[in-house]
Amino acid sequence: MRRARLHALFGMLGVVCFVVATAGFDVIARLGVAGEPLRTAVTRSLHQVFAQPVGTLMLLAPFIGAAALSAEVAKASNMAAGWIFFGLVAGVLGGLYFSGHWGAQVALGQRSWTAAALSVGMLPFRSIPVLLAAAACAGLIAWRSPQRGP
């Protein structure tokens, strides 16, 4: 498969995982910790996504990075390796995002406003070691895989 198509395919998958990891995990945390009704939790979560476009783009960046690395793994090795690689990286990022949203709701319940804001706000920066490790693994996979044509 061509590189552009791989990047588009994994990019779309990255956006879907981002939506689940931000809006979905935020709603779950609001339901589980804050005890908000479903409609209120969804409304507040979506409001937060649209009210902070720069923050939303920063939260998206690690998933786009994971998608780009996965496309390169799929190009260097094979499609199955790309899917597995993306699943592993997205799973780690998802766990990180879930703990961030859950921690934010716990902090809000304790009236720790700064801790709540930083719990989610620092997620893109807390994702950097995950992406660096993923980039090292992707480089190793590309180095160990037989070269494929352009």
Side-chain angles (χ1 to χ4, degrees), residues 75-101:
K75 183 71 174 169
S77 183
N78 60 44
M79 198 64 171
W83 288 117
I84 292 168
F85 186 84
F86 182 81
L88 291 172
V89 177
V92 172
L93 289 173
L96 194 64
Y97 276 52
F98 180 78
S99 70
H101 285 288

Side-chain angles (χ1 to χ4, degrees), residues 2-149:
R2 298 182 61 87
R3 177 172 275 138
R5 289 191 79 181
L6 286 171
H7 280 278
L9 176 67
F10 282 106
M12 287 186 284
L13 187 58
V15 170
V16 169
C17 288
F18 158 74
V19 169
V20 170
T22 52
F25 290 161
D26 186 37
V27 168
I28 290 170
R30 288 175 185 274
L31 293 172
V33 176
E36 293 180 1
L38 180 61
R39 182 176 179 171
T40 303
V42 170
T43 303
R44 287 185 178 173
S45 180
L46 290 176
H47 177 268
Q48 188 174 5
V49 166
F50 292 115
Q52 303 170 0
V54 173
T56 301
L57 289 174
M58 286 181 67
L59 289 170
L60 172 64
F63 288 96
I64 296 301
L69 291 171
S70 300
E72 293 303 318
V73 167
K75 183 71 174 169
S77 183
N78 60 44
M79 198 64 171
W83 288 117
I84 292 168
F85 186 84
F86 182 81
L88 291 172
V89 177
V92 172
L93 289 173
L96 194 64
Y97 276 52
F98 180 78
S99 70
H101 285 288
W102 193 270
Q105 291 302 316
V106 168
L108 284 174
Q110 297 170 348
R111 297 181 182 255
S112 299
W113 315 124
T114 304
L118 291 176
S119 184
V120 173
M122 293 300 289
L123 285 173
F125 303 104
R126 290 176 47 202
S127 301
I128 290 172
V130 174
L131 291 177
L132 289 174
C137 290
L140 184 63
I141 291 169
W143 179 65
R144 299 286 293 162
S145 295
Q147 289 290 348
R148 293 183 172 237

